[in-house]
Amino acid sequence: MLLFLLAYLGGALTIVSPCILPVLPFVFARAEKGFVRGGLPLLVGMALTFAVVASLAAVGGGWAVRANTYGRDVALAIMALFGITLLFPALADRLTRPLVALGGRLSERADGAERAGSSIGPSFLLGIATGLLWAPCAGPILGVILTGAALEGASVGTSLLLLAYALGAATSLALALAVGGRVFVAMKRSLGAGEWIRRGLGVAVLAGVVAIGFGLDTGILSKLSLADTSGLEEALVERAPVDRGADKGLMVDGRLASLSGADAWINSPPLTAQSLRGKVVVVDFWTYSCINCLRALPYVEAWAEKYKDQGLVVIGVHTPEFAFEHDVGNVRKAVADLHVTYPVAVDDHHVIWRAFHNHSWPAHYFIDATGRVRAHQFGEGDYAQSERIIQMLLAEAGRKTVPGGVVAVAGQGAEAASNPAMVGSPETYIGYDAAGFFILPGNPFDDMAHTYSTPTDLELNAWGLVGNWTVGPQQATLNTAGGAIRYRFRARDLHLVLGPATAGKPVRFRVVIDGKAPGANHGVDTDAEGLGLITSQRLYQLVRMQGAPGDHLFEIQFLDPGAQAFVFTFG
């Protein structure tokens, strides 16, 4: 409700924008016709046109965001253009001239319709013209609404926010009709101050574009941080408890959201909330390169197998984090390699994720036979409690022979449970969008080939590149053979999400720990000599330490060019 109120107020306050001045004469021209014949049709036409223009902007913005690889650059270009138009009103006038011309033509038609004897038609057409002139004057609040529409996709909520904004703008016009020329005079007096505010906002927007474009928004903050918080964040997520109800039952937290947004289904035809009525459902949000998801996977698979004859349906919703996880072929291969047998919905555009208001990988939602969400678990852990919830919901659904006890799971390789006592290193991204602890002064050379050199005497959790690399927003790509990545870590397991830059062209690598071959400390994707092969884009387990916890210098040396590295995770 607060958002709708802010949207309404934002629309109402657009009347103080200097660029509204050309609109007000149109409004006052209808004042003598009375509210029913003059004011009301004008307001309806204005609100309708304004909503259409804003909706088209939202759809266009959403398309740009969904263009994963180029969306950031497109967004920066749009922001820069917006800042320039704020700074130079003459340019804004030139860019909006087609809309103004169209508004003028509609105004002439309105005059013609009035001479022909129409009653409300002229005012309605004039309202359409007013909407076309009003839309370019929209303020920051509408910018927030349209940005949310672009990021979150089309929704009833976004449409209602746009409607609230349009109603606020219509209220301003109604006020202008009521008090007449006094508003017009006041607007002229505020023109000077308004122009300086407008130019100040333009400078601020352009400064923000420059900061984001050069990575200063993340680089400076990471350098000023006294400590990285990702480890704390992971700990809090992992300890987030399942929602527990009163002693007599579980809480109700909404209903099973729509599954219609899936781009594809694996292991099953499309499922719907209606077709699942009468079934107990576990919805598991995951992505195949996420170490936390992989460690939870054996439990989810075990639940699906143990309770399938009792009416349990497990649905894995694969919602990608990295660009390569948007490839449905990659997802199908991962599902097969990981031996996932239950239905998987491919949520490529985060539609189901948003429908559930989800915010983490993994996340488990427990739905009863009537379609009500009764509990959820965010992050790894608390598997016994989660299974007892499944048993309770099955019993509520009338199942008489629900198996007791809890599954005994021993994950292998990357799916093995973490050892928190040994973990002293946080998840560490390599792309510049979220990189931390990079040891070179300043930022990596974003999107540019550069030769890096990293010493071996690193502090704990510091890392760096060796050789010629191009660092992108999500990953670093090795341009020539012989490059390496060094990281001083403390953990039992070290994983690295890797992939070949060119599909079908494997990359050989060698892992070294403290300057030596790993021997018994090698991971499942390396041998005792540390040798391994990158064949696809996925998480690779490179180290599993056998002794007591301690700090170790990890180095992965690439024998071929074309390696891509995304993120370190530890266990």
Side-chain angles (χ1 to χ4, degrees):
M1 185 58 67
L2 179 60
L3 288 176
F4 293 119
L5 178 60
L6 289 174
Y8 175 83
L9 291 176
L13 291 174
T14 53
I15 198 169
V16 303
S17 173
C19 68
I20 297 300
L21 286 174
V23 176
L24 296 182
F26 291 164
V27 177
F28 299 144
R30 312 303 301 170
E32 77 281 0
K33 302 298 180 183
F35 184 73
V36 174
R37 290 187 56 201
L40 182 60
L42 183 144
L43 295 177
V44 171
M46 185 278 297
L48 176 63
T49 305
F50 184 88
V52 169
V53 171
S55 298
L56 290 175
V59 171
W63 175 85
V65 170
R66 286 194 294 272
N68 187 293
T69 305
Y70 307 105
R72 181 176 183 271
D73 295 335
V74 171
L76 285 175
I78 292 174
M79 287 177 62
L81 179 61
F82 177 63
I84 292 171
T85 57
L86 287 174
L87 200 56
F88 302 104
L91 178 60
D93 292 342
R94 178 170 297 183
L95 292 176
T96 58
R97 196 170 294 166
L99 288 178
V100 175
L102 181 57
R105 287 196 294 271
L106 287 174
S107 177
E108 293 174 1
R109 292 186 183 181
D111 293 338
E114 184 171 23
R115 288 192 295 270
S118 175
S119 56
I120 65 172
S123 295
F124 181 73
L125 286 175
L126 203 55
I128 293 176
T130 302
L132 289 172
L133 293 172
W134 192 282
C137 298
I141 292 180
L142 182 63
V144 172
I145 296 173
L146 295 181
T147 300
L151 293 173
E152 298 294 333
S155 68
V156 174
T158 298
S159 299
L160 291 176
L161 285 173
L162 289 171
L163 177 61
Y165 193 95
L167 290 175
T171 302
S172 294
L173 284 179
L175 177 64
L177 285 169
V179 300
R182 284 175 290 177
V183 173
F184 194 44
V185 172
M187 283 302 307
K188 287 183 176 180
R189 290 174 180 171
S190 69
L191 180 59
E195 281 302 316
W196 280 109
I197 293 173
R198 179 189 182 103
R199 289 172 180 170
L201 289 173
V203 171
V205 169
L206 290 175
V209 170
V210 172
I212 295 171
F214 284 93
L216 300 179
D217 55 326
T218 56
I220 292 178
L221 291 177
S222 65
K223 297 299 180 295
L224 293 178
S225 297
L226 296 178
D228 187 83
T229 61
S230 57
L232 175 61
E233 291 168 359
E234 281 191 9
L236 290 175
V237 169
E238 290 178 3
R239 287 165 174 74
V242 178
D243 276 359
R244 293 173 172 81
D247 293 339
K248 295 183 179 179
L250 298 169
M251 300 172 64
V252 175
D253 187 17
R255 301 195 64 82
L256 173 60
S258 173
L259 303 173
S260 61
D263 298 271
W265 284 83
I266 303 173
N267 296 336
S268 169
L271 300 176
T272 65
Q274 185 64 32
S275 68
L276 293 168
R277 187 63 64 90
K279 303 284 188 179
V280 173
V281 179
V282 174
V283 175
D284 171 35
F285 283 91
W286 71 298
T287 185
Y288 74 83
S289 72
C290 163
I291 184 59
N292 310 93
C293 302
L294 294 178
R295 290 196 286 245
L297 203 58
Y299 292 91
V300 179
E301 183 65 47
W303 297 336
E305 180 62 27
K306 181 177 178 180
Y307 299 104
K308 65 181 180 181
D309 295 333
Q310 302 296 318
L312 176 70
V313 177
V314 173
I315 300 174
V317 179
H318 187 275
T319 310
E321 177 181 13
F322 295 112
F324 64 80
E325 293 171 319
H326 286 262
D327 188 318
V328 177
N330 287 345
V331 180
R332 292 186 186 278
K333 183 179 185 304
V335 167
D337 292 343
L338 295 168
H339 307 292
V340 175
T341 61
Y342 48 81
V344 174
V346 180
D347 186 27
D348 200 32
H349 295 100
H350 291 222
V351 175
I352 303 175
W353 175 284
R354 293 193 299 267
F356 275 80
H357 304 288
N358 189 48
H359 56 77
S360 68
W361 295 281
H364 304 140
Y365 292 81
F366 303 87
I367 295 103
D368 66 19
T370 66
R372 298 177 299 175
V373 178
R374 300 290 296 281
H376 55 244
Q377 166 71 32
F378 297 139
E380 301 177 65
D382 221 349
Y383 300 114
Q385 174 67 13
S386 295
E387 187 167 356
R388 284 191 285 270
I389 290 173
I390 294 172
Q391 294 167 351
M392 183 185 302
L393 296 181
L394 289 172
E396 284 185 6
R399 304 296 187 265
K400 303 299 184 183
T401 58
V402 179
V406 295
V407 295
V409 171
Q412 302 298 315
E415 297 179 3
S418 177
N419 184 348
M422 294 185 68
V423 179
S425 295
E427 183 178 56
T428 303
Y429 287 84
I430 295 176
Y432 58 70
D433 272 354
F437 295 106
F438 192 72
I439 61 96
L440 289 180
N443 291 328
F445 289 77
D446 299 353
D447 299 311
M448 296 172 55
H450 182 75
T451 299
Y452 297 88
S453 177
T454 297
T456 57
D457 56 340
L458 298 173
E459 296 180 358
L460 179 62
N461 298 329
W463 68 279
L465 304 172
V466 177
N468 191 274
W469 293 81
T470 299
V471 180
Q474 291 191 337
Q475 78 285 332
T477 302
L478 179 63
N479 300 313
T480 58
I485 306 176
R486 292 173 180 156
Y487 192 125
R488 184 165 295 277
F489 75 102
R490 180 186 299 162
R492 182 196 66 190
D493 301 334
L494 181 148
H495 314 96
L496 182 55
V497 176
L498 297 164
T502 303
K505 192 172 182 178
V507 177
R508 298 170 297 156
F509 65 84
R510 177 188 293 112
V511 165
V512 175
I513 303 175
D514 297 325
K516 300 178 294 184
N521 295 318
H522 70 88
V524 295
D525 292 300
T526 57
D527 60 19
E529 296 299 318
L531 297 175
L533 189 66
I534 304 172
T535 56
S536 61
Q537 295 160 317
R538 63 176 178 86
L539 181 141
Y540 289 77
Q541 187 188 75
L542 304 177
V543 174
R544 167 155 287 188
M545 302 299 297
Q546 302 299 313
D551 300 356
H552 300 279
L553 179 65
F554 165 85
E555 181 172 341
I556 179 170
Q557 303 165 350
F558 299 97
L559 308 180
D560 302 305
Q564 290 187 326
F566 293 82
V567 59
F568 283 96
T569 58
F570 302 90

